[in-house]
Amino acid sequence: DAGVIQSPRHEVTEMGQEVTLRCKPISGHDYLFWYRQTMMRGLELLIYFNNNVPIDDSGMPEDRFSAKMPNASFSTLKIQPSEPRDSAVYFCASSRGGPAPYNEQFFGPGTRLTVL
Amino acid sequence: AQSVAQPEDQVNVAEGNPLTVKCTYSVSGNPYLFWYVQYPNRGLQFLLKYITGDNLVKGSYGFEAEFNKSQTSFHLKKPSALVSDSALYFCAVRDGPTDTNAGKSTFGDGTTLTVKP
């Protein structure tokens, strides 16, 4: 298996522009998570899905952020409009579900976003 | 509610010496506990987990962790550190199966481990 795939790996954009980050989870995984990592705030959970349905989006910072999971093999995180304070590394992770809620998460390589 | 604390931002050890990275947790039910490692410019990688059973859990790269229910701790250990173990380590906790947010883990702030030659 190729693991969790994220694209792009790096994104540099200007304030006000729309940014779309993409994620392909590991096949067969029921959970998908979006995290943001910065030096100041550490690792933050933004939103997670179970079987393509958003379960908890309480970590989404504001309405500028939105996430979708149209099918089991694809998810997007969109920021519109982007601001310099959105600069961070964004990680996607997936895990198995089923009757066992104690499965570990598999992280993608991350997308490093820089908003100028 | 679930929470996890990593009381040390940094741990420094000499190569060949034992290492310990500390983690304490708080859950309302039975805890599921995890350790992850992050190397520079990489995503987090799973190291080991405690679900139930033996309090000493063995994981990847020679790491192990000891679950202590009375002290609500889950410290990561390795008998002999390598320079290549230098990385950022995260402890994570998930509440038991009665938690409605059963898919969600809470991560600590991370501890930077530096192993010097």
Side-chain angles (χ1 to χ4, degrees), chain B residues 9-30:
Chain B
D9 290 337
Q10 290 218 334
V11 171
N12 298 312
V13 298
E15 187 173 32
N17 283 0
L19 70 87
T20 299
V21 183
K22 296 179 180 177
C23 171
T24 58
Y25 66 90
S26 174
V27 296
S28 54
N30 292 322

mmCIF file with all atom_site columns, all heavy atoms in Angstrom, chain B residues 9-30:
data_model
loop_
_atom_site.group_PDB
_atom_site.id
_atom_site.type_symbol
_atom_site.label_atom_id
_atom_site.label_alt_id
_atom_site.label_comp_id
_atom_site.label_asym_id
_atom_site.label_entity_id
_atom_site.label_seq_id
_atom_site.pdbx_PDB_ins_code
_atom_site.Cartn_x
_atom_site.Cartn_y
_atom_site.Cartn_z
_atom_site.occupancy
_atom_site.B_iso_or_equiv
_atom_site.pdbx_formal_charge
_atom_site.auth_seq_id
_atom_site.auth_comp_id
_atom_site.auth_asym_id
_atom_site.auth_atom_id
_atom_site.pdbx_PDB_model_num
ATOM 1   N N   . ASP B 1 9  ? 9.304   19.515 27.429 1.00 0.00 ? 9  ASP B N   1
ATOM 2   C CA  . ASP B 1 9  ? 9.405   19.931 26.032 1.00 0.00 ? 9  ASP B CA  1
ATOM 3   C C   . ASP B 1 9  ? 10.590  19.264 25.356 1.00 0.00 ? 9  ASP B C   1
ATOM 4   O O   . ASP B 1 9  ? 10.539  18.964 24.158 1.00 0.00 ? 9  ASP B O   1
ATOM 5   C CB  . ASP B 1 9  ? 9.570   21.449 25.939 1.00 0.00 ? 9  ASP B CB  1
ATOM 6   C CG  . ASP B 1 9  ? 8.315   22.191 26.334 1.00 0.00 ? 9  ASP B CG  1
ATOM 7   O OD1 . ASP B 1 9  ? 7.226   21.596 26.252 1.00 0.00 ? 9  ASP B OD1 1
ATOM 8   O OD2 . ASP B 1 9  ? 8.424   23.364 26.728 1.00 0.00 ? 9  ASP B OD2 1
ATOM 9   N N   . GLN B 1 10 ? 11.663  19.067 26.145 1.00 0.00 ? 10 GLN B N   1
ATOM 10  C CA  . GLN B 1 10 ? 12.897  18.521 25.573 1.00 0.00 ? 10 GLN B CA  1
ATOM 11  C C   . GLN B 1 10 ? 13.479  17.474 26.521 1.00 0.00 ? 10 GLN B C   1
ATOM 12  O O   . GLN B 1 10 ? 13.423  17.615 27.740 1.00 0.00 ? 10 GLN B O   1
ATOM 13  C CB  . GLN B 1 10 ? 13.927  19.619 25.380 1.00 0.00 ? 10 GLN B CB  1
ATOM 14  C CG  . GLN B 1 10 ? 13.582  20.605 24.292 1.00 0.00 ? 10 GLN B CG  1
ATOM 15  C CD  . GLN B 1 10 ? 14.814  21.034 23.522 1.00 0.00 ? 10 GLN B CD  1
ATOM 16  O OE1 . GLN B 1 10 ? 15.912  20.988 24.052 1.00 0.00 ? 10 GLN B OE1 1
ATOM 17  N NE2 . GLN B 1 10 ? 14.654  21.438 22.290 1.00 0.00 ? 10 GLN B NE2 1
ATOM 18  N N   . VAL B 1 11 ? 14.048  16.426 25.919 1.00 0.00 ? 11 VAL B N   1
ATOM 19  C CA  . VAL B 1 11 ? 14.800  15.430 26.662 1.00 0.00 ? 11 VAL B CA  1
ATOM 20  C C   . VAL B 1 11 ? 16.119  15.221 25.930 1.00 0.00 ? 11 VAL B C   1
ATOM 21  O O   . VAL B 1 11 ? 16.123  15.020 24.711 1.00 0.00 ? 11 VAL B O   1
ATOM 22  C CB  . VAL B 1 11 ? 14.035  14.086 26.753 1.00 0.00 ? 11 VAL B CB  1
ATOM 23  C CG1 . VAL B 1 11 ? 14.917  12.992 27.331 1.00 0.00 ? 11 VAL B CG1 1
ATOM 24  C CG2 . VAL B 1 11 ? 12.773  14.237 27.596 1.00 0.00 ? 11 VAL B CG2 1
ATOM 25  N N   . ASN B 1 12 ? 17.201  15.317 26.693 1.00 0.00 ? 12 ASN B N   1
ATOM 26  C CA  . ASN B 1 12 ? 18.533  15.125 26.110 1.00 0.00 ? 12 ASN B CA  1
ATOM 27  C C   . ASN B 1 12 ? 19.199  13.930 26.776 1.00 0.00 ? 12 ASN B C   1
ATOM 28  O O   . ASN B 1 12 ? 19.235  13.839 28.008 1.00 0.00 ? 12 ASN B O   1
ATOM 29  C CB  . ASN B 1 12 ? 19.409  16.370 26.320 1.00 0.00 ? 12 ASN B CB  1
ATOM 30  C CG  . ASN B 1 12 ? 18.826  17.588 25.623 1.00 0.00 ? 12 ASN B CG  1
ATOM 31  O OD1 . ASN B 1 12 ? 18.451  17.531 24.466 1.00 0.00 ? 12 ASN B OD1 1
ATOM 32  N ND2 . ASN B 1 12 ? 18.757  18.699 26.351 1.00 0.00 ? 12 ASN B ND2 1
ATOM 33  N N   . VAL B 1 13 ? 19.711  13.017 25.965 1.00 0.00 ? 13 VAL B N   1
ATOM 34  C CA  . VAL B 1 13 ? 20.420  11.858 26.498 1.00 0.00 ? 13 VAL B CA  1
ATOM 35  C C   . VAL B 1 13 ? 21.647  11.583 25.646 1.00 0.00 ? 13 VAL B C   1
ATOM 36  O O   . VAL B 1 13 ? 21.711  11.982 24.479 1.00 0.00 ? 13 VAL B O   1
ATOM 37  C CB  . VAL B 1 13 ? 19.530  10.599 26.552 1.00 0.00 ? 13 VAL B CB  1
ATOM 38  C CG1 . VAL B 1 13 ? 18.343  10.807 27.463 1.00 0.00 ? 13 VAL B CG1 1
ATOM 39  C CG2 . VAL B 1 13 ? 19.095  10.189 25.172 1.00 0.00 ? 13 VAL B CG2 1
ATOM 40  N N   . ALA B 1 14 ? 22.598  10.888 26.234 1.00 0.00 ? 14 ALA B N   1
ATOM 41  C CA  . ALA B 1 14 ? 23.787  10.480 25.490 1.00 0.00 ? 14 ALA B CA  1
ATOM 42  C C   . ALA B 1 14 ? 23.516  9.127  24.829 1.00 0.00 ? 14 ALA B C   1
ATOM 43  O O   . ALA B 1 14 ? 22.771  8.284  25.363 1.00 0.00 ? 14 ALA B O   1
ATOM 44  C CB  . ALA B 1 14 ? 24.978  10.384 26.427 1.00 0.00 ? 14 ALA B CB  1
ATOM 45  N N   . GLU B 1 15 ? 24.113  8.964  23.669 1.00 0.00 ? 15 GLU B N   1
ATOM 46  C CA  . GLU B 1 15 ? 23.947  7.693  22.950 1.00 0.00 ? 15 GLU B CA  1
ATOM 47  C C   . GLU B 1 15 ? 24.388  6.536  23.841 1.00 0.00 ? 15 GLU B C   1
ATOM 48  O O   . GLU B 1 15 ? 25.424  6.605  24.505 1.00 0.00 ? 15 GLU B O   1
ATOM 49  C CB  . GLU B 1 15 ? 24.769  7.711  21.666 1.00 0.00 ? 15 GLU B CB  1
ATOM 50  C CG  . GLU B 1 15 ? 24.524  6.510  20.759 1.00 0.00 ? 15 GLU B CG  1
ATOM 51  C CD  . GLU B 1 15 ? 25.237  6.643  19.420 1.00 0.00 ? 15 GLU B CD  1
ATOM 52  O OE1 . GLU B 1 15 ? 26.323  7.249  19.387 1.00 0.00 ? 15 GLU B OE1 1
ATOM 53  O OE2 . GLU B 1 15 ? 24.697  6.141  18.416 1.00 0.00 ? 15 GLU B OE2 1
ATOM 54  N N   . GLY B 1 16 ? 23.582  5.468  23.828 1.00 0.00 ? 16 GLY B N   1
ATOM 55  C CA  . GLY B 1 16 ? 23.896  4.297  24.639 1.00 0.00 ? 16 GLY B CA  1
ATOM 56  C C   . GLY B 1 16 ? 23.243  4.313  26.003 1.00 0.00 ? 16 GLY B C   1
ATOM 57  O O   . GLY B 1 16 ? 23.130  3.258  26.647 1.00 0.00 ? 16 GLY B O   1
ATOM 58  N N   . ASN B 1 17 ? 22.806  5.474  26.458 1.00 0.00 ? 17 ASN B N   1
ATOM 59  C CA  . ASN B 1 17 ? 22.115  5.568  27.744 1.00 0.00 ? 17 ASN B CA  1
ATOM 60  C C   . ASN B 1 17 ? 20.632  5.272  27.578 1.00 0.00 ? 17 ASN B C   1
ATOM 61  O O   . ASN B 1 17 ? 20.074  5.423  26.482 1.00 0.00 ? 17 ASN B O   1
ATOM 62  C CB  . ASN B 1 17 ? 22.289  6.967  28.340 1.00 0.00 ? 17 ASN B CB  1
ATOM 63  C CG  . ASN B 1 17 ? 23.659  7.157  28.949 1.00 0.00 ? 17 ASN B CG  1
ATOM 64  O OD1 . ASN B 1 17 ? 24.490  6.244  28.932 1.00 0.00 ? 17 ASN B OD1 1
ATOM 65  N ND2 . ASN B 1 17 ? 23.908  8.339  29.481 1.00 0.00 ? 17 ASN B ND2 1
ATOM 66  N N   . PRO B 1 18 ? 19.965  4.871  28.663 1.00 0.00 ? 18 PRO B N   1
ATOM 67  C CA  . PRO B 1 18 ? 18.518  4.666  28.565 1.00 0.00 ? 18 PRO B CA  1
ATOM 68  C C   . PRO B 1 18 ? 17.795  6.003  28.448 1.00 0.00 ? 18 PRO B C   1
ATOM 69  O O   . PRO B 1 18 ? 18.282  7.029  28.927 1.00 0.00 ? 18 PRO B O   1
ATOM 70  C CB  . PRO B 1 18 ? 18.179  3.971  29.898 1.00 0.00 ? 18 PRO B CB  1
ATOM 71  C CG  . PRO B 1 18 ? 19.287  4.343  30.819 1.00 0.00 ? 18 PRO B CG  1
ATOM 72  C CD  . PRO B 1 18 ? 20.507  4.515  29.981 1.00 0.00 ? 18 PRO B CD  1
ATOM 73  N N   . LEU B 1 19 ? 16.647  5.965  27.805 1.00 0.00 ? 19 LEU B N   1
ATOM 74  C CA  . LEU B 1 19 ? 15.855  7.189  27.671 1.00 0.00 ? 19 LEU B CA  1
ATOM 75  C C   . LEU B 1 19 ? 14.426  6.942  28.160 1.00 0.00 ? 19 LEU B C   1
ATOM 76  O O   . LEU B 1 19 ? 13.906  5.832  28.084 1.00 0.00 ? 19 LEU B O   1
ATOM 77  C CB  . LEU B 1 19 ? 15.843  7.686  26.225 1.00 0.00 ? 19 LEU B CB  1
ATOM 78  C CG  . LEU B 1 19 ? 15.073  6.872  25.170 1.00 0.00 ? 19 LEU B CG  1
ATOM 79  C CD1 . LEU B 1 19 ? 13.612  7.265  25.096 1.00 0.00 ? 19 LEU B CD1 1
ATOM 80  C CD2 . LEU B 1 19 ? 15.716  7.048  23.795 1.00 0.00 ? 19 LEU B CD2 1
ATOM 81  N N   . THR B 1 20 ? 13.834  8.004  28.669 1.00 0.00 ? 20 THR B N   1
ATOM 82  C CA  . THR B 1 20 ? 12.434  7.998  29.072 1.00 0.00 ? 20 THR B CA  1
ATOM 83  C C   . THR B 1 20 ? 11.784  9.287  28.605 1.00 0.00 ? 20 THR B C   1
ATOM 84  O O   . THR B 1 20 ? 12.318  10.371 28.846 1.00 0.00 ? 20 THR B O   1
ATOM 85  C CB  . THR B 1 20 ? 12.276  7.880  30.603 1.00 0.00 ? 20 THR B CB  1
ATOM 86  O OG1 . THR B 1 20 ? 12.852  6.656  31.052 1.00 0.00 ? 20 THR B OG1 1
ATOM 87  C CG2 . THR B 1 20 ? 10.792  7.915  30.995 1.00 0.00 ? 20 THR B CG2 1
ATOM 88  N N   . VAL B 1 21 ? 10.649  9.177  27.954 1.00 0.00 ? 21 VAL B N   1
ATOM 89  C CA  . VAL B 1 21 ? 9.831   10.324 27.577 1.00 0.00 ? 21 VAL B CA  1
ATOM 90  C C   . VAL B 1 21 ? 8.491   10.155 28.295 1.00 0.00 ? 21 VAL B C   1
ATOM 91  O O   . VAL B 1 21 ? 7.813   9.149  28.127 1.00 0.00 ? 21 VAL B O   1
ATOM 92  C CB  . VAL B 1 21 ? 9.620   10.409 26.055 1.00 0.00 ? 21 VAL B CB  1
ATOM 93  C CG1 . VAL B 1 21 ? 8.819   11.653 25.700 1.00 0.00 ? 21 VAL B CG1 1
ATOM 94  C CG2 . VAL B 1 21 ? 10.963  10.414 25.324 1.00 0.00 ? 21 VAL B CG2 1
ATOM 95  N N   . LYS B 1 22 ? 8.120   11.173 29.072 1.00 0.00 ? 22 LYS B N   1
ATOM 96  C CA  . LYS B 1 22 ? 6.996   11.019 29.982 1.00 0.00 ? 22 LYS B CA  1
ATOM 97  C C   . LYS B 1 22 ? 5.660   11.437 29.368 1.00 0.00 ? 22 LYS B C   1
ATOM 98  O O   . LYS B 1 22 ? 5.589   12.343 28.539 1.00 0.00 ? 22 LYS B O   1
ATOM 99  C CB  . LYS B 1 22 ? 7.242   11.841 31.254 1.00 0.00 ? 22 LYS B CB  1
ATOM 100 C CG  . LYS B 1 22 ? 8.434   11.347 32.052 1.00 0.00 ? 22 LYS B CG  1
ATOM 101 C CD  . LYS B 1 22 ? 8.657   12.197 33.285 1.00 0.00 ? 22 LYS B CD  1
ATOM 102 C CE  . LYS B 1 22 ? 9.849   11.700 34.079 1.00 0.00 ? 22 LYS B CE  1
ATOM 103 N NZ  . LYS B 1 22 ? 10.132  12.546 35.258 1.00 0.00 ? 22 LYS B NZ  1
ATOM 104 N N   . CYS B 1 23 ? 4.608   10.755 29.829 1.00 0.00 ? 23 CYS B N   1
ATOM 105 C CA  . CYS B 1 23 ? 3.253   11.066 29.389 1.00 0.00 ? 23 CYS B CA  1
ATOM 106 C C   . CYS B 1 23 ? 2.288   10.710 30.502 1.00 0.00 ? 23 CYS B C   1
ATOM 107 O O   . CYS B 1 23 ? 2.364   9.628  31.082 1.00 0.00 ? 23 CYS B O   1
ATOM 108 C CB  . CYS B 1 23 ? 2.909   10.267 28.137 1.00 0.00 ? 23 CYS B CB  1
ATOM 109 S SG  . CYS B 1 23 ? 1.188   10.353 27.612 1.00 0.00 ? 23 CYS B SG  1
ATOM 110 N N   . THR B 1 24 ? 1.388   11.620 30.819 1.00 0.00 ? 24 THR B N   1
ATOM 111 C CA  . THR B 1 24 ? 0.292   11.321 31.738 1.00 0.00 ? 24 THR B CA  1
ATOM 112 C C   . THR B 1 24 ? -1.022  11.622 31.034 1.00 0.00 ? 24 THR B C   1
ATOM 113 O O   . THR B 1 24 ? -1.076  12.442 30.112 1.00 0.00 ? 24 THR B O   1
ATOM 114 C CB  . THR B 1 24 ? 0.389   12.124 33.042 1.00 0.00 ? 24 THR B CB  1
ATOM 115 O OG1 . THR B 1 24 ? 0.386   13.522 32.729 1.00 0.00 ? 24 THR B OG1 1
ATOM 116 C CG2 . THR B 1 24 ? 1.653   11.787 33.805 1.00 0.00 ? 24 THR B CG2 1
ATOM 117 N N   . TYR B 1 25 ? -2.083  10.974 31.462 1.00 0.00 ? 25 TYR B N   1
ATOM 118 C CA  . TYR B 1 25 ? -3.346  11.092 30.740 1.00 0.00 ? 25 TYR B CA  1
ATOM 119 C C   . TYR B 1 25 ? -4.510  11.245 31.703 1.00 0.00 ? 25 TYR B C   1
ATOM 120 O O   . TYR B 1 25 ? -4.390  10.976 32.905 1.00 0.00 ? 25 TYR B O   1
ATOM 121 C CB  . TYR B 1 25 ? -3.568  9.852  29.863 1.00 0.00 ? 25 TYR B CB  1
ATOM 122 C CG  . TYR B 1 25 ? -3.772  8.602  30.681 1.00 0.00 ? 25 TYR B CG  1
ATOM 123 C CD1 . TYR B 1 25 ? -5.043  8.208  31.090 1.00 0.00 ? 25 TYR B CD1 1
ATOM 124 C CD2 . TYR B 1 25 ? -2.683  7.823  31.066 1.00 0.00 ? 25 TYR B CD2 1
ATOM 125 C CE1 . TYR B 1 25 ? -5.225  7.077  31.874 1.00 0.00 ? 25 TYR B CE1 1
ATOM 126 C CE2 . TYR B 1 25 ? -2.854  6.693  31.857 1.00 0.00 ? 25 TYR B CE2 1
ATOM 127 C CZ  . TYR B 1 25 ? -4.124  6.334  32.261 1.00 0.00 ? 25 TYR B CZ  1
ATOM 128 O OH  . TYR B 1 25 ? -4.301  5.219  33.037 1.00 0.00 ? 25 TYR B OH  1
ATOM 129 N N   . SER B 1 26 ? -5.641  11.628 31.143 1.00 0.00 ? 26 SER B N   1
ATOM 130 C CA  . SER B 1 26 ? -6.886  11.695 31.909 1.00 0.00 ? 26 SER B CA  1
ATOM 131 C C   . SER B 1 26 ? -8.023  11.289 30.984 1.00 0.00 ? 26 SER B C   1
ATOM 132 O O   . SER B 1 26 ? -8.179  11.850 29.890 1.00 0.00 ? 26 SER B O   1
ATOM 133 C CB  . SER B 1 26 ? -7.112  13.114 32.437 1.00 0.00 ? 26 SER B CB  1
ATOM 134 O OG  . SER B 1 26 ? -8.381  13.220 33.064 1.00 0.00 ? 26 SER B OG  1
ATOM 135 N N   . VAL B 1 27 ? -8.789  10.277 31.398 1.00 0.00 ? 27 VAL B N   1
ATOM 136 C CA  . VAL B 1 27 ? -9.968  9.838  30.652 1.00 0.00 ? 27 VAL B CA  1
ATOM 137 C C   . VAL B 1 27 ? -11.058 9.488  31.652 1.00 0.00 ? 27 VAL B C   1
ATOM 138 O O   . VAL B 1 27 ? -10.789 9.262  32.826 1.00 0.00 ? 27 VAL B O   1
ATOM 139 C CB  . VAL B 1 27 ? -9.673  8.611  29.758 1.00 0.00 ? 27 VAL B CB  1
ATOM 140 C CG1 . VAL B 1 27 ? -8.669  8.932  28.675 1.00 0.00 ? 27 VAL B CG1 1
ATOM 141 C CG2 . VAL B 1 27 ? -9.200  7.426  30.597 1.00 0.00 ? 27 VAL B CG2 1
ATOM 142 N N   . SER B 1 28 ? -12.267 9.398  31.167 1.00 0.00 ? 28 SER B N   1
ATOM 143 C CA  . SER B 1 28 ? -13.369 9.053  32.061 1.00 0.00 ? 28 SER B CA  1
ATOM 144 C C   . SER B 1 28 ? -13.592 7.542  32.124 1.00 0.00 ? 28 SER B C   1
ATOM 145 O O   . SER B 1 28 ? -14.135 7.037  33.085 1.00 0.00 ? 28 SER B O   1
ATOM 146 C CB  . SER B 1 28 ? -14.652 9.747  31.612 1.00 0.00 ? 28 SER B CB  1
ATOM 147 O OG  . SER B 1 28 ? -14.928 9.451  30.255 1.00 0.00 ? 28 SER B OG  1
ATOM 148 N N   . GLY B 1 29 ? -13.144 6.850  31.078 1.00 0.00 ? 29 GLY B N   1
ATOM 149 C CA  . GLY B 1 29 ? -13.312 5.404  31.045 1.00 0.00 ? 29 GLY B CA  1
ATOM 150 C C   . GLY B 1 29 ? -11.965 4.707  30.987 1.00 0.00 ? 29 GLY B C   1
ATOM 151 O O   . GLY B 1 29 ? -11.004 5.133  31.621 1.00 0.00 ? 29 GLY B O   1
ATOM 152 N N   . ASN B 1 30 ? -11.895 3.633  30.236 1.00 0.00 ? 30 ASN B N   1
ATOM 153 C CA  . ASN B 1 30 ? -10.625 2.936  30.054 1.00 0.00 ? 30 ASN B CA  1
ATOM 154 C C   . ASN B 1 30 ? -9.823  3.603  28.941 1.00 0.00 ? 30 ASN B C   1
ATOM 155 O O   . ASN B 1 30 ? -10.352 3.875  27.879 1.00 0.00 ? 30 ASN B O   1
ATOM 156 C CB  . ASN B 1 30 ? -10.874 1.475  29.697 1.00 0.00 ? 30 ASN B CB  1
ATOM 157 C CG  . ASN B 1 30 ? -11.480 0.711  30.857 1.00 0.00 ? 30 ASN B CG  1
ATOM 158 O OD1 . ASN B 1 30 ? -11.110 0.939  32.012 1.00 0.00 ? 30 ASN B OD1 1
ATOM 159 N ND2 . ASN B 1 30 ? -12.411 -0.171 30.576 1.00 0.00 ? 30 ASN B ND2 1
#
